[in-house]
Amino acid sequence: MEDRENSNYRWVVFLAVLFTYFLIVSQRTAPGLITDQLMIDFRISASVIGLLTSIQFLAYTGLQIPIGILSDRFGPNYFLIVGTLLNGIGTIVYSIAPNEYVLIFAKLLVGIGDSTIWVNLVAILSQWFKPKEFIKLIGFAGMSGSLGFLLATVPFSKWIALTGWRPPFLTVGIILCVCGLLLYLILIKKSEQIGKDNPVVFPKAVKQNREKTSSLLLRVCKNRQAWAVFLCHFGLVGTYVGFIGSWAVPYGMDVYGLTRSGASQLVMLGVFGAIIGAPLTTWVSGRLNTIKQPFVFIYSIVLVVWLALVVLNGKPSFSLLIILFFILGFGNGASALTFAIIRESFPINEVGVISGFANTGGFLSAVLLPSLFGRVLDHFSITASNVGYHYGFIIPAAFTLLGLIGSLLISKEEEKTSSYPSSNRAGI
């Protein structure tokens, strides 16, 4: 009987998991399209809208490490399925909410569900694909997320304009619930027939020797490679998501006098960059047979972009700005390399917790940057001025510098992480 890593069925798993991730990512930003409608329909303030956004990402960030630990202990399949169902149910509740309290509850459900997705996606692909395949395919996983962001722009906006905002969210919620049921059939029922002679076993057989959670967390916190990937994700993902998702559109309007629609095109440039960056950088890494060198190079280029925005007083020529936004998106796509490093460096039964640790870094940065950037803008009173943005760009530049330091701290893949016995490494 074929084992998992050689079975053709692994491609069914790959497509099912990526399609689910694609839909879930679209629902991270799609609610931003209806901010004004929510304020009118529910008569709520901007602060309540801010709470709706923050509660989802705070739930996501806070649960990354716990979900990673549970995934490693009990396997990732059920967590991905339950997370998908919670996301679907939360989206349905959001679409039929009668008041702001139900909206907040719905976003909390979506945040909890979303927190399970990426960590378990990485763990599942680690089970089903060989290390060399994984490095290439994790880039396509990142690209599917970028396509999800793309879906939540013009296509979803036109759908909302055609039918109102409730039907699109209701429809996507139902589709996500169906995806959860299909994942149960694909990951649990059918996959039990695959690889019975060579299954991926999470450490149930050695339950009596299972490491205490506190000891595991302490060991992770002492591990240089773990902090390296934490900083890598902190510097690339947080700066991109934090800025693009909060201040990119106002920046285009305030500094360049663009319309809201015109400023949104800058965001689209970043999304296209990310779509290209994820598979291309992982492909190049595979061809060069190294992850660290391409990662350091991409990080250096992204740091130069943020520094250019600072040096040019926050207002480069518009043609140069287009290039800079594309590069920022490309760099965000390259963040998929973080998880290729994790797959290469850690035992498969700890991929979940390390992925959660790294993802915590990325979304901690995404939570911090908009607030800090906003404080700088408030301090300089940016009305019809680029001064606030000029100094605001120092923040993502500093965050990216931390990420570059993280990429330089990465141990070479061939050396692995010294604190793990070779017999437990990720199938290598």
Side-chain angles (χ1 to χ4, degrees):
M1 183 176 290
E2 288 184 304
D3 60 47
R4 290 170 183 261
E5 293 183 349
N6 294 306
S7 169
N8 290 330
Y9 187 73
R10 72 194 193 277
W11 297 107
V12 175
V13 173
F14 179 71
L15 292 175
V17 169
L18 258 64
F19 178 73
T20 302
Y21 181 59
F22 160 76
L23 283 181
I24 287 172
V25 169
S26 74
Q27 296 311 293
R28 290 179 186 172
T29 53
L33 298 172
I34 59 170
T35 297
D36 55 339
Q37 291 174 268
L38 291 179
M39 294 178 71
I40 294 171
D41 291 353
F42 295 98
R43 297 180 181 178
I44 54 181
S45 65
S47 62
V48 175
I49 293 294
L51 177 61
L52 284 173
T53 302
S54 63
I55 196 169
Q56 178 177 348
F57 285 107
L58 286 173
Y60 183 101
T61 305
L63 289 173
Q64 285 304 287
I65 294 176
I67 290 294
I69 293 172
L70 292 172
S71 172
D72 289 334
R73 291 276 167 95
F74 303 106
N77 293 334
Y78 279 109
F79 287 101
L80 183 69
I81 293 165
V82 171
T84 302
L85 291 173
L86 281 175
N87 217 294
I89 293 169
T91 304
I92 291 172
V93 172
Y94 189 84
S95 73
I96 62 175
N99 55 57
E100 65 269 30
Y101 303 107
V102 177
L103 282 177
I104 292 172
F105 174 70
K107 295 298 285 183
L108 179 61
L109 282 181
V110 170
I112 294 171
D114 198 2
S115 70
T116 71
I117 303 305
W118 180 257
V119 169
N120 290 291
L121 179 152
V122 171
I124 288 169
L125 296 187
S126 296
Q127 290 182 14
W128 285 89
F129 291 92
K130 299 172 184 177
K132 292 295 183 184
E133 289 179 321
F134 179 88
I135 292 172
K136 297 175 183 178
L137 295 178
I138 197 66
F140 286 97
M143 184 177 72
S144 71
S146 297
L147 289 171
F149 282 122
L150 189 62
L151 174 66
T153 56
V154 176
F156 214 77
S157 179
K158 289 186 178 295
W159 190 3
I160 291 170
L162 184 65
T163 65
W165 68 270
R166 292 185 185 271
F169 285 94
L170 177 63
T171 303
V172 173
I174 292 171
I175 294 173
L176 281 171
C177 288
V178 172
C179 285
L181 298 177
L182 289 176
L183 285 174
Y184 174 76
L185 295 176
I186 292 170
L187 296 176
I188 305 298
K189 301 300 290 184
K190 179 65 176 176
S191 68
E192 288 177 351
Q193 304 171 24
I194 308 294
K196 287 184 178 179
D197 297 331
N198 187 23
V200 175
V201 179
F202 284 74
K204 294 179 181 177
V206 290
K207 190 178 293 184
Q208 67 274 16
N209 295 324
R210 180 178 290 170
E211 186 176 11
K212 292 182 179 180
T213 300
S214 58
S215 299
L216 172 62
L217 291 175
L218 181 61
R219 182 158 56 81
V220 168
C221 289
K222 290 181 177 179
N223 188 282
R224 165 178 156 170
Q225 194 84 327
W227 280 107
V229 294
F230 177 96
L231 290 173
C232 285
H233 223 47
F234 181 93
L236 276 186
V237 173
T239 52
Y240 174 80
V241 173
F243 179 72
I244 293 292
S246 58
W247 295 111
V249 171
Y251 169 66
M253 296 172 68
D254 294 335
V255 176
Y256 291 90
L258 301 174
T259 64
R260 185 173 301 276
S261 175
S264 297
Q265 300 303 310
L266 294 175
V267 177
M268 292 285 288
L269 285 168
V271 172
F272 283 125
I275 290 172
I276 296 171
L280 181 58
T281 53
T282 52
W283 178 81
V284 169
S285 294
R287 294 285 293 179
L288 297 177
N289 200 30
T290 178
I291 302 173
K292 179 174 180 175
Q293 291 177 8
F295 211 7
V296 172
F297 176 77
I298 292 294
Y299 243 120
S300 301
I301 296 299
V302 172
L303 178 59
V304 168
V305 169
W306 289 117
L307 290 175
L309 288 168
V310 175
V311 172
L312 296 173
N313 298 318
K315 193 177 181 180
S317 67
F318 192 74
S319 57
L320 178 58
L321 184 70
I322 291 173
I323 297 172
L324 297 181
F325 265 74
F326 181 84
I327 294 173
L328 291 177
F330 188 93
N332 180 66
S335 65
L337 291 174
T338 301
F339 301 94
I341 293 165
I342 292 171
R343 176 65 172 90
E344 289 278 352
S345 302
F346 294 90
I348 198 168
N349 62 318
E350 293 185 3
V351 164
V353 66
I354 302 299
S355 297
F357 189 69
N359 226 15
T360 298
F363 283 86
L364 175 64
S365 176
V367 169
L368 290 175
L369 189 140
S371 176
L372 295 174
F373 205 105
R375 286 179 178 273
V376 173
L377 296 182
D378 287 340
H379 178 75
F380 287 96
S381 301
I382 60 161
T383 305
S385 171
N386 59 300
V387 175
Y389 288 104
H390 171 211
Y391 289 102
F393 285 129
I394 294 174
I395 298 168
F399 281 19
T400 304
L401 178 60
L402 288 175
L404 177 60
I405 292 171
S407 69
L408 293 171
L409 288 174
I410 294 169
S411 301
K412 290 183 179 179
E413 299 91 313
E414 295 78 11
E415 295 173 359
K416 307 301 177 191
T417 304
S418 60
S419 61
Y420 299 105
S422 60
S423 59
N424 286 334
R425 294 221 170 98
I428 301 171

